[in-house]
Amino acid sequence: DALVGSEGNGWNQVMSELAFERSGPERFLSSFSVFKELVREIGPDPDPTTAATIGRLAAHLITMRGLSLSVAGTLNNGGLPNLEAAVVKDLGAVYEQQLPEIARLVCGADPAMPGSGSDYAEALSRCILDAPSFSIRGGTREILRGVIARGLGLR
C-alpha cells in the first residue's frame, strides 16, 4: 500500500531520479556569479591570453548547457540517460572547482571575507567555500566515474 512507481521497477526509478539530479543546470551554474563578476572585473578590452581564457570558460558553460538540455529531453521522452547525466555532473563539478582557481590566476585577486569586498571578491569567496561540495552532491566523483565506465562497457 506504500508502493511508489511500479513493482520491480525500483532500480530504473532511482536511476531516473538520479539522472534528473545529476544533470540539472545547478551542476555547472552554482559558480556562475564568479564567471559573471570575473568578466566585469576584466573589463571590455582584455589582453589576448585573458580573452582566450574567458572564451574557454564560456565554451565549457555552453557545452554543459547543451548536454544538460539533451539529458532533460531524453528524460522527458522516457529514456534513462544514466551515462550522460553522470558525464554532465562530473564535468560540471570539475568546471566549478577549477573556476575560482582560474579566476584567481586571471585577476590576481584574493577572495574577500564575506561582506568586505567587491562583487567579484564576494562571489569568489563564496565559490571557494562551496567548491568542495560540488564533487559530492549527486554522487562522488568515484561513483560517477564507475557509472561512466559501466555505461561505456569498460566495467
Side-chain angles (χ1 to χ4, degrees):
D1 67 331
L3 179 65
V4 176
S6 339
E7 187 171 340
N9 197 36
W11 179 254
N12 288 337
Q13 183 172 336
V14 167
M15 294 312 295
S16 176
E17 290 168 10
L18 280 172
F20 275 107
E21 180 182 350
R22 290 177 173 159
S23 64
E26 69 279 3
R27 295 299 171 223
F28 54 91
L29 291 178
S30 297
S31 60
F32 183 74
S33 61
V34 173
F35 178 74
K36 179 180 73 170
E37 294 304 331
L38 175 63
V39 170
R40 284 186 185 158
E41 189 82 9
I42 289 168
D45 192 27
D47 64 77
T49 302
T50 301
T53 299
I54 295 298
R56 275 193 301 278
L57 291 170
H60 285 278
L61 273 175
I62 292 165
T63 300
M64 286 185 287
R65 180 181 182 272
L67 290 169
S68 179
L69 288 171
S70 177
V71 170
T74 300
L75 287 164
N76 191 53
N77 292 329
L80 192 58
N82 296 334
L83 169 62
E84 297 87 343
V87 169
V88 171
K89 199 285 187 187
D90 191 38
L91 290 174
V94 168
Y95 174 84
E96 290 202 312
Q97 288 178 328
Q98 290 178 345
L99 180 60
E101 296 309 314
I102 292 168
R104 289 176 76 178
L105 290 172
V106 169
C107 279
D110 285 323
M113 290 299 293
S116 67
S118 68
D119 289 344
Y120 166 70
E122 291 281 332
L124 183 60
S125 69
R126 277 192 308 278
C127 189
I128 288 171
L129 291 172
D130 292 340
S133 72
F134 298 152
S135 58
I136 297 171
R137 61 187 187 185
T140 65
R141 192 166 279 141
E142 294 78 15
I143 296 293
L144 292 171
R145 291 188 179 169
V147 171
I148 293 167
R150 274 192 299 282
L152 295 173
L154 302 174
R155 203 167 132 187

